[in-house]
Amino acid sequence: MFRRLLLALLLISPIAKSESLSINFTESNFLKQYKHQTYINSGVYTHIDEHFKADDTGMDIIPYFPDVYSVALSDKQITELIDNLLKLGVDNWARQYPEDSSGLICDGRSYNLYIKSDRLNINSRGYCYFPNKFNKVVSVFESVHKTPNKPIKRD
């Protein structure tokens, strides 16, 4: 009986195995007045929200501590996150925006996105230019730490 139970568990465990997901996403602006970093590894979501703060004159930067959020993701949340990113077309993003950045002077936002999973592998970056639905992807990432006990935001 024990052998049958062990055999059944060995056969079922690969089916029930969760999807692996690693994400490294950074968004910032030219002057580094803000920087948002999102990491997912081993089922743990971590978001670091850095915003420089100025004094009342606007001339001096005040020391600060970034806001850090950390959420353990369920297997269902990981699957929903990957599904949403695929639905938003992240798998079709180019490696770089714009594709030719020679001579580009970027004085705005930039991003780096690296995703590694069984269904989605992407390494993309952009300087003042962004792929379609970029802001929706940012919203999906933000929805994880803003509402950690709710399903991942859908478009």
Side-chain angles (χ1 to χ4, degrees):
M1 179 69 171
F2 178 73
R3 288 183 185 173
R4 288 183 187 164
L5 180 61
L6 183 61
L7 181 60
L9 287 174
L10 289 174
L11 292 174
I12 293 173
S13 61
I15 297 169
K17 184 179 177 186
S18 66
E19 199 165 357
S20 67
L21 174 64
S22 296
I23 292 180
N24 182 330
F25 174 64
T26 303
E27 175 196 15
S28 61
N29 79 337
F30 167 70
L31 297 174
K32 302 295 184 210
Q33 292 174 327
Y34 76 87
K35 185 176 182 181
H36 302 146
Q37 301 169 81
T38 301
Y39 305 99
I40 296 175
N41 195 23
S42 301
V44 177
Y45 166 98
T46 304
H47 180 81
I48 303 170
D49 194 357
E50 295 183 48
H51 287 267
F52 291 111
K53 316 260 189 295
D55 65 5
D56 291 337
T57 67
M59 301 301 291
D60 195 19
I61 301 296
I62 300 170
Y64 71 98
F65 294 96
D67 295 324
V68 179
Y69 307 90
S70 186
V71 177
L73 298 176
S74 68
D75 294 343
K76 182 179 177 185
Q77 286 175 307
I78 290 172
T79 300
E80 287 175 349
L81 181 59
I82 295 169
D83 289 345
N84 287 330
L85 293 171
L86 287 168
K87 183 179 174 187
L88 291 170
V90 171
D91 55 329
N92 294 317
W93 284 10
R95 184 161 179 78
Q96 181 171 306
Y97 291 88
E99 289 186 25
D100 180 11
S101 62
S102 56
L104 174 70
I105 298 174
C106 180
D107 58 357
R109 291 167 61 195
S110 64
Y111 81 93
N112 290 297
L113 175 63
Y114 172 81
I115 300 174
K116 176 87 173 140
S117 78
D118 296 335
R119 295 186 293 144
L120 179 59
N121 292 298
I122 186 84
N123 190 357
S124 180
R125 67 187 55 80
Y127 311 98
C128 294
Y129 292 85
F130 303 92
N132 290 333
K133 301 184 180 177
F134 175 79
N135 289 331
K136 290 182 180 182
V137 169
V138 172
S139 294
V140 167
F141 286 137
E142 288 176 350
S143 73
V144 176
H145 71 271
K146 289 184 177 177
T147 56
N149 297 321
K150 294 185 179 178
I152 304 296
K153 182 179 180 177
R154 295 197 179 270
D155 181 37

